[in-house]
């Protein structure tokens, strides 16, 4: 499984919100690339509300969401920075660590076990 992610930044023309639409795979190993993007979005038009939208991601580890939320809660932000909301689809969260997925590949929304080469 390719654990890359892509981020599209949507900015409201009236300065009411910034939405980071994340697609691809969000893992414990790559969730940290979202931290500076959120920090930058919060400084665009203070006190703008920022939404990190993970609902379109094809694979989201529950541990990655926990780490992301913890980092956002404990980040050093300037006074007047707006709130940050992490949007997830609970039914799509993967509660297994990434190592458990090493022998699987996502295809058409389903996981299937691939044979190991000898």
């Amino acid at each position: 499984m390719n654990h890359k992610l892509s981020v599209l930044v949507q900015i409201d023309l009236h300065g009411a919100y910034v939405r980071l639409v994340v697609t691809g795979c969000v893992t414990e190993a790559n969730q940290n690339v979202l931290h500076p993007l959120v920090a930058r979005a919060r400084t665009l038009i203070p006190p703008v509300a920022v939404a990190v939208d993970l609902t379109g991601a094809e694979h989201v580890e529950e541990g990655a969401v926990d780490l992301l939320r913890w980092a956002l809660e404990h980040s050093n932000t300037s006074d007047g920075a707006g709130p940050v909301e992490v949007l997830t689809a609970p039914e799509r969260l993967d509660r297994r660590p990434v190592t458990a997925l090493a022998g699987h590949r996502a295809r058409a929304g389903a996981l299937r076990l691939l044979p190991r080469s000898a």
Side-chain angles (χ1 to χ4, degrees):
M1 181 180 292
N2 189 353
H3 290 287
K4 291 185 179 181
L5 58 87
S6 179
V7 181
L8 171 70
V9 180
Q10 296 176 335
I11 302 172
D12 176 39
L13 292 177
H14 301 292
Y17 71 88
V18 174
R19 181 182 221 86
L20 303 176
V21 181
V22 180
T23 56
C25 294
V26 181
T27 66
E28 291 180 17
N30 71 9
Q31 58 78 32
N32 61 327
V33 301
L34 296 172
H35 304 178
L37 296 174
V38 172
R40 178 76 174 155
R42 292 179 90 183
T43 63
L44 289 175
I45 315 163
V48 69
V50 177
V52 181
D53 187 354
L54 304 177
T55 59
E58 66 182 67
H59 173 237
V60 179
E61 291 180 358
E62 185 177 36
V65 174
D66 292 340
L67 287 170
L68 179 61
R69 285 187 172 136
W70 186 92
L72 295 175
E73 288 173 7
H74 294 86
S75 64
N76 294 332
T77 58
S78 59
D79 292 334
V84 178
E85 182 179 19
V86 178
L87 307 171
T88 61
E91 68 279 359
R92 296 185 67 188
L93 285 180
D94 192 343
R95 290 170 172 77
R96 295 174 293 169
V98 70
T99 55
L101 294 171
H104 293 80
R105 180 189 308 168
R107 180 174 287 178
L111 290 176
R112 71 182 169 101
L113 187 60
L114 297 174
R116 293 187 182 200
S117 3

